[in-house]
Amino acid sequence: MAGNTFGTLFKVTTFGESHGGTVGCVIDGCPAGITLNEEMIQIDLDRRRPGQSDITTPRKEEDIVHIESGVFEGKTTGTPLCLVVQNKDAHSSDYDHLKNIFRPSHADYTYQKKYGIRDTRGGGRASARETVARVAAGSVARIYLNTITGIEIVAFVERVQNIVGNIDIHTVSIKDVDKTPVRCPDGVAAEQMISLIKKTGEEGDSLGGVIRCILRNVPVGLGEPVFDRLSAKLGQAMLSIPATKGFEIGSGFSGTYLTGRTHNDEFYTDKNGNIRTHTNNSGGVQGGISNGEIIDFRVAFKPTSTIRKEQKTVTTDGKETLLNAHGRHDPCVLPRAVPIVEAMAALTIMDYYLLQKIYG
Amino acid sequence: MAGNTFGTLFKVTTFGESHGGTVGCVIDGCPAGITLNEEMIQIDLDRRRPGQSDITTPRKEEDIVHIESGVFEGKTTGTPLCLVVQNKDAHSSDYDHLKNIFRPSHADYTYQKKYGIRDTRGGGRASARETVARVAAGSVARIYLNTITGIEIVAFVERVQNIVGNIDIHTVSIKDVDKTPVRCPDGVAAEQMISLIKKTGEEGDSLGGVIRCILRNVPVGLGEPVFDRLSAKLGQAMLSIPATKGFEIGSGFSGTYLTGRTHNDEFYTDKNGNIRTHTNNSGGVQGGISNGEIIDFRVAFKPTSTIRKEQKTVTTDGKETLLNAHGRHDPCVLPRAVPIVEAMAALTIMDYYLLQKIYG
Amino acid sequence: MAGNTFGTLFKVTTFGESHGGTVGCVIDGCPAGITLNEEMIQIDLDRRRPGQSDITTPRKEEDIVHIESGVFEGKTTGTPLCLVVQNKDAHSSDYDHLKNIFRPSHADYTYQKKYGIRDTRGGGRASARETVARVAAGSVARIYLNTITGIEIVAFVERVQNIVGNIDIHTVSIKDVDKTPVRCPDGVAAEQMISLIKKTGEEGDSLGGVIRCILRNVPVGLGEPVFDRLSAKLGQAMLSIPATKGFEIGSGFSGTYLTGRTHNDEFYTDKNGNIRTHTNNSGGVQGGISNGEIIDFRVAFKPTSTIRKEQKTVTTDGKETLLNAHGRHDPCVLPRAVPIVEAMAALTIMDYYLLQKIYG
Amino acid sequence: MAGNTFGTLFKVTTFGESHGGTVGCVIDGCPAGITLNEEMIQIDLDRRRPGQSDITTPRKEEDIVHIESGVFEGKTTGTPLCLVVQNKDAHSSDYDHLKNIFRPSHADYTYQKKYGIRDTRGGGRASARETVARVAAGSVARIYLNTITGIEIVAFVERVQNIVGNIDIHTVSIKDVDKTPVRCPDGVAAEQMISLIKKTGEEGDSLGGVIRCILRNVPVGLGEPVFDRLSAKLGQAMLSIPATKGFEIGSGFSGTYLTGRTHNDEFYTDKNGNIRTHTNNSGGVQGGISNGEIIDFRVAFKPTSTIRKEQKTVTTDGKETLLNAHGRHDPCVLPRAVPIVEAMAALTIMDYYLLQKIYG
């Protein structure tokens, strides 16, 4: 109810604030007998970690994961997994000057009004640090999917402001994506993105853009009509990530300019006898259920709210003031958001995959 | 789990197929003591009803709602409401020629593969007829919200293909929206839309577009971080509507072209002492919680999948064939989708409103 | 949340009041492809029906079930089943004299205080008539379990007041149970029970007792520790039936008089190589999980609250008064509660059975 | 789904094995602004702690709780609370001899069969050590209830085997209960119980009994018909505690020997104008909803499964063998189960109390 749980069969509950002792999650419903250790999860966390390149925040957070429960002799036991990451490089004093100010386009004001209290250190629960727990949980889901299925999940930065990468979604791999620090697998566009991010960061301003995510080899039949359509739950999953403002699947908003004749995905039977579609405007989901084509969606991320330019705002008692923020922030969150998008995709698919074991 | 329930406190479960006996819903969690009768719900159903104008399907469905339970002497009792609508003008024989064919971009193929069986009459459960139940349930939510709060929910057609209406979101009312059959309150654009829809329908083709939805007077504090952000649940709600391909809130995808400096919504204190923002790129939601500004989102609808043009497809046993569909369909679903968008918005807000009574 | 849903995978939501138009349920999550028709469900409803013998209420309720949705050409489609039963022999005027009175040990007072309003006709939602919907839903679960598994569910009246039947739980069948109208398969005890019930009914008084329920051939592994232990959910299921005051499994309360040495169920390996226990004080559940032995539990039913003896009570505005109830009620609810106990057992097991398909 | 979460509004998810790193819980949905610190929770944990007297296990577990998240400057923030307790005095080697043996009436066999794997150290997840997390969570619920309401929750040992205490439920306090290590507030019975427990423990055998729990000052209106009756959820809560075999409320099983005339609780209006009942056979719950009288229920605990007497059993590969257990166990779990019963009662009531804030 209070919103910190995702999933129904593979049920992830996250906890922890930016500057509290730990951030972490409990996963209830992970099947037993899966090989799992901390090194396996650490791979994904290292992709999300701050300080990994010169276009991300210089904050040094090692983000070492520890499995507290649910694993015995290297295998999951079917009981709850608790994964925790200690908060280490937490400069709480960086936030003292923000204690009585509502930062524009942050959650300071809404948390204060909703709860009557807020943890003022580094955004508290509203900090993107909370996504550490999502990446850890998503990693477990991915390990399961890798072990049991052939499903592949690859996200990448497709656009930063107006610089667009051109990527082949049939072949793109995580290795391709991780070749550049901006996580755009189109090398030319990546260079331009990196330059733009550096320049904008130096100016104290910030950038947004679009992450595209590709799921290959998803079996036909995942998704639960009518309210829990696969597309709808992917939408919720993505729009629950901090800084997101939009989601589209397949043809998305641009498909609204077509007519039915050009938009419809005509069926054919391939040489293996599988029913396929010539086009994929549906983005791999029809009637809320996966159809075996590539699942293909995009997520819009706004420009980072924390900037070093002077802004007008108000104090917690409503007096108008000027904010000159400092602190250590990403001028563009997209590169580090790529593993978060993948994690939320993995959690969403995992739940439907397990559910389909009943009915499939 | 199986996806036919929406909401946790105001919990709506829908049932019924296009050509079965009834479609309907059970609402569990409606507060007691609210004045409710069938006439009140009928108003919203009549806005969704087929056959209401010459740009919608000529199917005649009267869609008369009946309250089966949960009301005593004109008031809700706190026990489950069951609302049903009989299926009347169901020409099941219209669908006989489709029994062994998978219609492109419909749910025929995915339902068949997921369940191993499907109701072949008129799309069965995947038919948009299922949304009758959503509109009925949304109507109850709206009646509650109207009775207890000042929240206003208004959706309208903002764009059909490339024809865009220009609407003042501070003042637009349902009355304005319903002035034209296309439900675009910009009269000039509406005329163009109507012409285009008629022409396209005559050609046997179909159109998509964008519905925008406005929620005014939503109190600060609705929404549950982190996974159940108000924006995320609105996204799920909208993407659960048939034919939707995208959702964006506030600045949405276009906001990704801005920098943080222009995108951030600076705070000020208004003359009543309320903390407000100068701009509303956030779309009324910050950190997943309503901030008191207008909630403003858009939903992308693809062109109707049913067209009267010849299409390539396959039979249920995988043989390639040609489909020449007839039947009675809307060349553009947007006008009739307006009350569905409003209904899903009402259901979403209702749940958070009730929840906030605990914690607020 | 509001309590009218049972189950998570096989999710049953009931609706309807004693004297409203219909009582019924929606089942979301029934697997597709199961043969189902109204005659199959009617069998169980006829066992619950009033007026079936001279020791039950003379009210004539035919309770004919109708399947509104979710079945196509005689098979379930995986979409929601809606089952409804019309209310026919509803003498609402029988209750006019009770409109302003709180009947002792009924739900009149608590409903009025909780909701501020109550349906005064025949107990409204608190009436045992609501269990019609449970029996219909349980019937679907039983049909699935019969089709797919060898699980057998048999409940019977073990005790009425101080008359105890002696029944072999390894062999007792529904057919045995239904041989006498009191549903106690021990013929001698049954005769005594029937006499006592008639005599007590003639005196205007009422009786309670114990129903015992046996589940045979339940596979090892059903139940979810720690909060959703099979024993705990069976407990909730049974204690949700009107008029219940207690639940015990295996040795139950009497096992508390033993020591560990006599209470522990020692293991052995049978000739088929299966691990079994010599005794079954556990009642077929260990650590909350079924162990393959007979699941064996008992439910305590209080004496019917409606009696024809004069009782002291208060009016709705708190004035003391005398109640002389008439109306048509069972002097002992146990015979008709037998199929309700079986239905709730079937619903409970169904949910765990489906869940174990994922993890097993 | 997988059973490690209790509650819907005040939602508690527990994790941790007997001999893993930590046991703990995440509480999602705790209202903001409540004063909370570790000392407050420690009080309840100390009542559950092993080694507190000479009739409980000599294992020394300090069970120091740590709040990982959700508290800022001494108050809850409305975000998830994570409470953890380190496992300290874990003699895993004590369990090496049990690795390949199924202990009678334990969960070894069922866990192994359900999951295909089990943590063999000290019962793993099935160990009663898991209840540490329940007591911690229940403590938070109790602190809230104490702060906001006048609800009092007191449990006590009413019976050990055949020794029954006689206690005034209108006045009994936790202080009274904690006067003796056996937690029976009847001093004479307590002495007899202590003697019996010591003697039985010395013999290597074990005892069961009954805990009674009293809730005073619960407002009218808590509980959600029909499936989530307050009595049904209390039943689930109690039957989810390890070693429980039965639950009864009010008159319970003994009430089945009465007739309606003597069993019905007649209403009257007290001098304050409140509607009350003369008797309380209902145990404070009517129609599943609290009626303002004392809520009064009993829980049956079987004799501890771990005994030091030789027992027949089988190895994990089905060979028959003899078990001579050692280890450090309570010969009677009831004294330490008292705070667990109270914790589960607090969690149950908390959920309904919050829910009633919406509808009340």
Side-chain angles (χ1 to χ4, degrees):
Chain A
M1 276 307 304
N4 297 287
T5 297
F6 189 82
T8 43
L9 288 171
F10 190 84
K11 195 161 67 172
V12 176
T13 303
T14 69
F15 60 87
E17 286 81 38
S18 180
H19 290 230
T22 52
V23 290
C25 65
V26 179
I27 304 173
D28 195 16
C30 184
I34 305 298
T35 298
L36 185 72
N37 59 50
E38 284 136 351
E39 290 69 34
M40 296 166 84
I41 301 171
Q42 197 62 46
I43 295 168
D44 283 310
L45 282 178
D46 287 347
R47 298 178 72 221
R48 199 216 74 99
R49 188 167 58 81
Q52 52 183 288
S53 83
D54 59 356
I55 59 165
T56 59
T57 168
R59 290 198 313 276
K60 289 276 180 302
E61 289 159 12
E62 289 196 342
D63 290 350
I64 305 298
V65 69
H66 191 251
I67 302 173
E68 289 290 317
S69 65
V71 171
F72 180 63
E73 298 182 347
K75 287 189 186 294
T76 58
T77 60
T79 63
L81 292 161
C82 179
L83 311 177
V84 294
V85 170
Q86 299 286 327
N87 289 324
K88 290 257 171 87
D89 185 35
H91 293 197
S92 298
S93 58
D94 277 7
Y95 294 90
D96 285 350
H97 69 298
L98 298 173
K99 196 155 187 169
N100 299 314
I101 279 184
F102 294 134
R103 292 169 298 162
S105 289
H106 276 271
D108 299 347
Y109 171 65
T110 52
Y111 267 66
Q112 184 69 46
K113 290 286 277 187
K114 181 179 182 68
Y115 299 109
I117 183 176
R118 74 191 159 97
D119 188 332
T120 55
R121 301 163 303 170
R125 181 67 180 157
S127 164
R129 183 146 186 80
E130 169 265 327
T131 60
V132 168
R134 303 186 184 208
V135 171
S139 190
V140 178
R142 174 129 68 178
I143 288 161
Y144 175 87
L145 293 173
N146 283 350
T147 307
I148 305 292
T149 79
I151 296 172
E152 295 172 346
I153 301 173
V154 184
F156 53 86
V157 174
E158 185 178 61
R159 179 161 64 73
V160 170
Q161 203 184 47
N162 54 6
I163 304 171
V164 189
N166 185 14
I167 292 102
D168 181 350
I169 63 170
H170 296 85
T171 59
V172 64
S173 69
I174 292 180
K175 204 178 146 192
D176 297 337
V177 173
D178 282 357
K179 265 184 193 152
T180 71
V182 77
R183 291 209 167 90
C184 172
D186 172 340
V188 177
E191 284 308 308
Q192 296 174 318
M193 290 172 180
I194 292 167
S195 296
L196 181 62
I197 293 170
K198 281 188 183 168
K199 178 171 157 290
T200 308
E202 284 159 11
E203 292 168 6
D205 209 344
S206 66
L207 295 165
V210 168
I211 289 177
R212 187 171 181 180
C213 185
I214 297 300
L215 284 73
R216 290 186 297 245
N217 304 328
V218 174
V220 190
L222 305 197
E224 297 297 312
V226 295
F227 296 112
D228 294 345
R229 283 171 151 82
L230 179 51
S231 37
K233 270 288 176 186
L234 282 171
Q236 181 196 348
M238 297 307 142
L239 292 160
S240 79
I241 301 173
T244 54
K245 302 304 289 179
F247 171 88
E248 60 179 12
I249 188 160
S251 65
F253 280 89
S254 62
T256 62
Y257 293 99
L258 303 179
T259 68
R261 186 183 185 133
T262 45
H263 191 273
N264 277 1
D265 295 319
E266 295 188 323
F267 286 109
Y268 71 100
T269 300
D270 73 10
K271 53 189 173 183
N272 302 317
N274 295 319
I275 293 174
R276 303 286 309 277
T277 62
H278 286 292
T279 49
N280 189 18
N281 284 313
S282 300
V285 180
Q286 290 179 326
I289 302 170
S290 62
N291 69 352
E293 302 298 319
I294 290 178
I295 293 177
D296 177 12
F297 62 83
R298 288 178 175 87
V299 189
F301 285 82
K302 69 175 183 179
T304 318
S305 298
T306 302
I307 54 176
R308 281 180 287 105
K309 304 242 178 212
E310 187 172 82
Q311 297 175 89
K312 289 180 196 158
T313 189
V314 297
T315 62
T316 49
D317 48 8
K319 289 199 189 122
E320 304 201 349
T321 185
L322 291 174
L323 168 65
N324 286 285
H326 42 91
R328 300 162 298 162
H329 288 274
D330 294 88
C332 178
V333 299
L334 281 86
R336 288 178 54 215
V338 162
I340 304 168
V341 166
E342 289 175 1
M344 292 308 300
L347 293 178
T348 306
I349 289 294
M350 181 73 183
D351 223 37
Y352 286 111
Y353 184 85
L354 292 178
L355 189 56
Q356 193 61 6
K357 290 183 72 172
I358 299 173
Y359 298 110
Chain B
M1 277 303 306
N4 296 287
T5 297
F6 189 81
T8 44
L9 288 171
F10 190 84
K11 195 162 67 171
V12 176
T13 303
T14 68
F15 60 87
E17 286 81 39
S18 180
H19 291 230
T22 51
V23 289
C25 66
V26 179
I27 304 173
D28 194 17
C30 184
I34 305 299
T35 298
L36 184 72
N37 58 49
E38 285 136 352
E39 290 68 35
M40 297 166 84
I41 301 172
Q42 197 63 46
I43 295 166
D44 282 311
L45 282 178
D46 286 347
R47 298 179 72 222
R48 197 216 76 100
R49 190 167 56 82
Q52 52 184 287
S53 82
D54 59 356
I55 60 165
T56 59
T57 168
R59 290 198 314 275
K60 289 275 180 303
E61 290 159 12
E62 289 195 342
D63 291 350
I64 305 298
V65 70
H66 190 251
I67 301 173
E68 291 288 318
S69 65
V71 171
F72 180 63
E73 299 182 346
K75 288 188 186 293
T76 58
T77 60
T79 63
L81 291 161
C82 178
L83 311 178
V84 294
V85 170
Q86 299 286 327
N87 289 325
K88 291 256 172 87
D89 185 34
H91 293 196
S92 298
S93 58
D94 277 7
Y95 295 92
D96 285 350
H97 69 298
L98 298 173
K99 196 156 186 168
N100 300 314
I101 279 184
F102 294 135
R103 291 170 298 162
S105 289
H106 276 271
D108 299 347
Y109 172 65
T110 52
Y111 267 66
Q112 184 69 44
K113 290 287 278 188
K114 182 178 181 69
Y115 298 109
I117 182 175
R118 76 193 157 95
D119 188 332
T120 54
R121 301 163 302 170
R125 180 70 179 154
S127 164
R129 182 145 186 81
E130 169 265 326
T131 59
V132 168
R134 303 186 185 209
V135 171
S139 189
V140 178
R142 174 130 67 178
I143 289 161
Y144 176 87
L145 293 172
N146 281 351
T147 308
I148 306 292
T149 79
I151 296 172
E152 295 172 346
I153 302 174
V154 185
F156 54 85
V157 174
E158 185 177 60
R159 179 161 65 72
V160 170
Q161 203 184 49
N162 54 5
I163 305 170
V164 189
N166 186 16
I167 293 102
D168 181 350
I169 62 170
H170 295 85
T171 59
V172 64
S173 68
I174 291 180
K175 204 178 147 192
D176 298 337
V177 173
D178 282 356
K179 265 184 195 152
T180 71
V182 76
R183 291 209 167 89
C184 173
D186 172 340
V188 177
E191 284 307 308
Q192 296 173 319
M193 290 173 180
I194 292 168
S195 296
L196 182 62
I197 292 170
K198 282 186 183 167
K199 177 172 158 289
T200 308
E202 285 159 11
E203 292 167 7
D205 210 345
S206 67
L207 295 166
V210 168
I211 290 177
R212 188 172 181 181
C213 186
I214 296 301
L215 285 72
R216 290 187 295 247
N217 304 328
V218 174
V220 190
L222 304 197
E224 296 297 311
V226 294
F227 296 112
D228 294 345
R229 282 171 153 83
L230 178 51
S231 36
K233 271 288 177 186
L234 282 171
Q236 182 196 345
M238 297 306 143
L239 293 160
S240 78
I241 301 173
T244 54
K245 302 303 290 178
F247 171 87
E248 59 180 12
I249 188 161
S251 65
F253 280 89
S254 62
T256 63
Y257 293 99
L258 303 179
T259 68
R261 187 185 183 129
T262 44
H263 191 274
N264 278 0
D265 295 319
E266 294 188 323
F267 285 110
Y268 71 100
T269 301
D270 73 9
K271 52 190 173 182
N272 302 318
N274 295 319
I275 293 174
R276 304 286 309 276
T277 62
H278 286 291
T279 49
N280 189 18
N281 284 313
S282 300
V285 180
Q286 290 180 326
I289 302 168
S290 62
N291 69 351
E293 303 297 322
I294 290 178
I295 293 178
D296 177 13
F297 61 83
R298 288 179 175 89
V299 189
F301 286 82
K302 68 174 183 179
T304 317
S305 298
T306 301
I307 53 176
R308 281 180 287 106
K309 304 248 179 207
E310 186 173 84
Q311 296 176 87
K312 290 179 195 160
T313 189
V314 296
T315 62
T316 49
D317 47 8
K319 287 196 192 125
E320 305 199 348
T321 186
L322 292 175
L323 168 65
N324 286 286
H326 42 92
R328 301 162 297 164
H329 289 274
D330 294 87
C332 179
V333 299
L334 281 87
R336 288 178 52 217
V338 162
I340 305 169
V341 165
E342 289 176 0
M344 293 306 302
L347 293 178
T348 306
I349 288 294
M350 181 72 183
D351 223 39
Y352 286 112
Y353 183 84
L354 292 179
L355 189 56
Q356 193 60 7
K357 289 182 72 171
I358 300 172
Y359 297 111
Chain C
M1 276 305 305
N4 297 287
T5 297
F6 188 82
T8 44
L9 289 171
F10 191 84
K11 196 162 65 172
V12 176
T13 303
T14 68
F15 59 87
E17 285 81 38
S18 180
H19 290 232
T22 53
V23 290
C25 65
V26 179
I27 305 174
D28 195 15
C30 183
I34 305 300
T35 298
L36 185 71
N37 58 50
E38 284 137 352
E39 291 68 34
M40 296 166 83
I41 301 171
Q42 197 62 47
I43 295 167
D44 282 311
L45 283 178
D46 285 348
R47 300 178 71 221
R48 198 215 76 98
R49 190 166 56 82
Q52 52 183 287
S53 83
D54 59 355
I55 59 165
T56 59
T57 168
R59 289 199 312 276
K60 288 274 180 303
E61 290 159 13
E62 290 196 342
D63 291 350
I64 305 298
V65 70
H66 191 250
I67 302 174
E68 290 289 317
S69 65
V71 171
F72 180 63
E73 299 182 345
K75 286 189 187 292
T76 58
T77 61
T79 63
L81 292 161
C82 179
L83 311 177
V84 295
V85 171
Q86 300 286 327
N87 288 325
K88 292 254 171 90
D89 185 35
H91 293 197
S92 299
S93 57
D94 277 8
Y95 294 90
D96 285 351
H97 68 298
L98 298 172
K99 197 155 185 167
N100 299 313
I101 279 184
F102 295 134
R103 292 170 297 163
S105 289
H106 277 271
D108 299 346
Y109 172 65
T110 52
Y111 267 66
Q112 184 70 44
K113 290 287 276 187
K114 180 178 182 69
Y115 299 110
I117 183 175
R118 75 192 158 96
D119 188 332
T120 53
R121 302 164 302 171
R125 180 71 179 154
S127 164
R129 182 144 186 81
E130 169 265 327
T131 61
V132 169
R134 304 185 185 210
V135 171
S139 189
V140 178
R142 174 130 66 178
I143 288 162
Y144 176 87
L145 293 172
N146 282 352
T147 307
I148 306 291
T149 79
I151 297 172
E152 295 172 346
I153 301 173
V154 185
F156 53 86
V157 174
E158 186 178 59
R159 179 162 63 75
V160 170
Q161 203 184 48
N162 55 5
I163 305 170
V164 189
N166 185 16
I167 293 102
D168 181 349
I169 62 169
H170 296 86
T171 59
V172 64
S173 69
I174 291 180
K175 205 178 145 191
D176 297 338
V177 174
D178 282 357
K179 266 184 193 150
T180 71
V182 75
R183 292 211 166 88
C184 172
D186 172 339
V188 177
E191 284 307 308
Q192 297 174 318
M193 290 173 181
I194 291 167
S195 298
L196 182 62
I197 292 170
K198 283 187 184 167
K199 177 171 158 289
T200 308
E202 284 159 10
E203 292 167 6
D205 209 343
S206 66
L207 295 165
V210 168
I211 290 177
R212 187 172 181 181
C213 185
I214 297 301
L215 285 72
R216 291 186 295 246
N217 304 327
V218 174
V220 190
L222 304 197
E224 298 295 312
V226 295
F227 296 112
D228 294 345
R229 281 170 153 83
L230 179 51
S231 37
K233 271 288 177 185
L234 282 171
Q236 182 196 346
M238 297 306 142
L239 292 159
S240 78
I241 300 173
T244 55
K245 302 305 289 179
F247 170 88
E248 61 180 10
I249 187 160
S251 66
F253 279 89
S254 62
T256 62
Y257 293 98
L258 303 179
T259 69
R261 185 184 185 132
T262 44
H263 191 274
N264 279 0
D265 295 319
E266 294 187 322
F267 286 110
Y268 71 100
T269 300
D270 73 11
K271 51 189 172 180
N272 301 317
N274 295 318
I275 294 173
R276 303 286 309 278
T277 63
H278 286 291
T279 49
N280 188 19
N281 285 313
S282 300
V285 180
Q286 289 179 327
I289 301 169
S290 61
N291 69 352
E293 301 299 321
I294 290 178
I295 294 178
D296 177 12
F297 61 84
R298 287 179 177 88
V299 189
F301 286 81
K302 68 175 184 180
T304 317
S305 299
T306 301
I307 55 175
R308 280 180 290 106
K309 304 244 178 210
E310 186 172 83
Q311 297 176 86
K312 290 180 195 157
T313 189
V314 296
T315 61
T316 48
D317 48 8
K319 286 196 192 126
E320 305 201 348
T321 185
L322 291 175
L323 168 65
N324 286 286
H326 42 92
R328 301 163 297 164
H329 289 273
D330 294 87
C332 178
V333 299
L334 281 86
R336 287 178 53 217
V338 163
I340 305 170
V341 166
E342 289 176 1
M344 292 308 300
L347 293 179
T348 306
I349 288 295
M350 180 73 183
D351 222 38
Y352 286 112
Y353 184 84
L354 292 180
L355 191 56
Q356 193 60 7
K357 289 184 70 172
I358 299 172
Y359 296 110
Chain D
M1 277 304 306
N4 297 286
T5 297
F6 189 82
T8 43
L9 289 171
F10 191 85
K11 194 162 68 172
V12 176
T13 304
T14 69
F15 59 87
E17 286 80 39
S18 179
H19 291 230
T22 52
V23 290
C25 65
V26 180
I27 305 173
D28 195 15
C30 183
I34 305 300
T35 297
L36 184 72
N37 58 49
E38 284 137 352
E39 290 68 35
M40 296 165 83
I41 301 172
Q42 197 62 47
I43 295 166
D44 282 311
L45 283 177
D46 286 348
R47 298 178 72 221
R48 198 215 75 100
R49 189 167 56 82
Q52 53 184 287
S53 83
D54 59 356
I55 59 165
T56 60
T57 168
R59 290 198 312 276
K60 287 276 180 302
E61 291 159 11
E62 289 195 343
D63 290 351
I64 305 297
V65 69
H66 189 251
I67 302 174
E68 290 289 317
S69 65
V71 171
F72 180 63
E73 298 182 347
K75 287 188 185 295
T76 57
T77 60
T79 63
L81 291 160
C82 178
L83 311 177
V84 294
V85 170
Q86 299 286 327
N87 289 324
K88 290 258 172 84
D89 185 35
H91 292 198
S92 298
S93 58
D94 276 8
Y95 295 91
D96 285 350
H97 69 297
L98 298 173
K99 194 156 188 168
N100 299 314
I101 279 183
F102 295 134
R103 292 169 297 163
S105 289
H106 276 269
D108 299 347
Y109 172 65
T110 51
Y111 267 66
Q112 184 70 45
K113 290 286 277 187
K114 181 178 182 68
Y115 299 109
I117 183 176
R118 74 192 159 96
D119 188 332
T120 55
R121 301 163 304 170
R125 180 69 178 155
S127 164
R129 182 144 186 80
E130 170 266 327
T131 59
V132 168
R134 303 186 185 210
V135 171
S139 189
V140 178
R142 174 130 69 179
I143 288 162
Y144 175 87
L145 293 172
N146 282 351
T147 308
I148 306 291
T149 78
I151 297 172
E152 295 173 345
I153 302 173
V154 184
F156 53 86
V157 174
E158 184 177 61
R159 178 163 64 74
V160 169
Q161 205 185 46
N162 54 7
I163 305 171
V164 189
N166 186 16
I167 293 102
D168 181 349
I169 63 169
H170 296 85
T171 59
V172 64
S173 69
I174 292 180
K175 204 177 147 191
D176 297 336
V177 174
D178 282 357
K179 264 184 195 153
T180 72
V182 77
R183 292 209 166 89
C184 173
D186 171 340
V188 177
E191 283 308 307
Q192 296 173 317
M193 290 173 182
I194 291 168
S195 296
L196 181 62
I197 292 170
K198 281 188 185 168
K199 177 173 158 288
T200 308
E202 284 159 11
E203 292 167 6
D205 210 343
S206 66
L207 295 166
V210 169
I211 290 177
R212 187 171 181 182
C213 185
I214 296 301
L215 285 73
R216 291 187 295 246
N217 303 328
V218 174
V220 189
L222 303 198
E224 297 295 312
V226 295
F227 296 112
D228 294 345
R229 280 171 153 83
L230 179 51
S231 37
K233 271 288 177 185
L234 282 170
Q236 181 195 348
M238 296 306 142
L239 292 160
S240 78
I241 300 173
T244 54
K245 303 303 290 178
F247 170 88
E248 60 180 11
I249 188 160
S251 65
F253 280 88
S254 61
T256 63
Y257 293 98
L258 303 180
T259 68
R261 186 184 183 130
T262 44
H263 192 273
N264 278 0
D265 295 319
E266 294 188 322
F267 287 110
Y268 71 100
T269 300
D270 73 9
K271 53 188 172 182
N272 301 316
N274 295 318
I275 294 173
R276 304 286 309 276
T277 62
H278 286 292
T279 49
N280 188 18
N281 285 314
S282 300
V285 180
Q286 289 179 327
I289 302 169
S290 62
N291 69 351
E293 301 300 319
I294 290 179
I295 293 177
D296 177 13
F297 61 85
R298 289 179 175 87
V299 189
F301 286 82
K302 69 176 182 178
T304 318
S305 299
T306 301
I307 55 176
R308 280 180 288 105
K309 304 246 178 206
E310 187 172 83
Q311 296 176 89
K312 290 180 196 157
T313 190
V314 296
T315 62
T316 49
D317 48 9
K319 289 199 189 121
E320 304 199 349
T321 186
L322 292 174
L323 168 65
N324 287 284
H326 42 92
R328 302 161 297 164
H329 289 272
D330 295 87
C332 178
V333 299
L334 281 86
R336 288 178 54 216
V338 162
I340 305 170
V341 166
E342 289 176 2
M344 292 308 301
L347 292 178
T348 306
I349 289 294
M350 181 72 183
D351 223 38
Y352 285 112
Y353 183 85
L354 291 180
L355 190 57
Q356 193 60 6
K357 289 184 70 172
I358 299 171
Y359 296 110

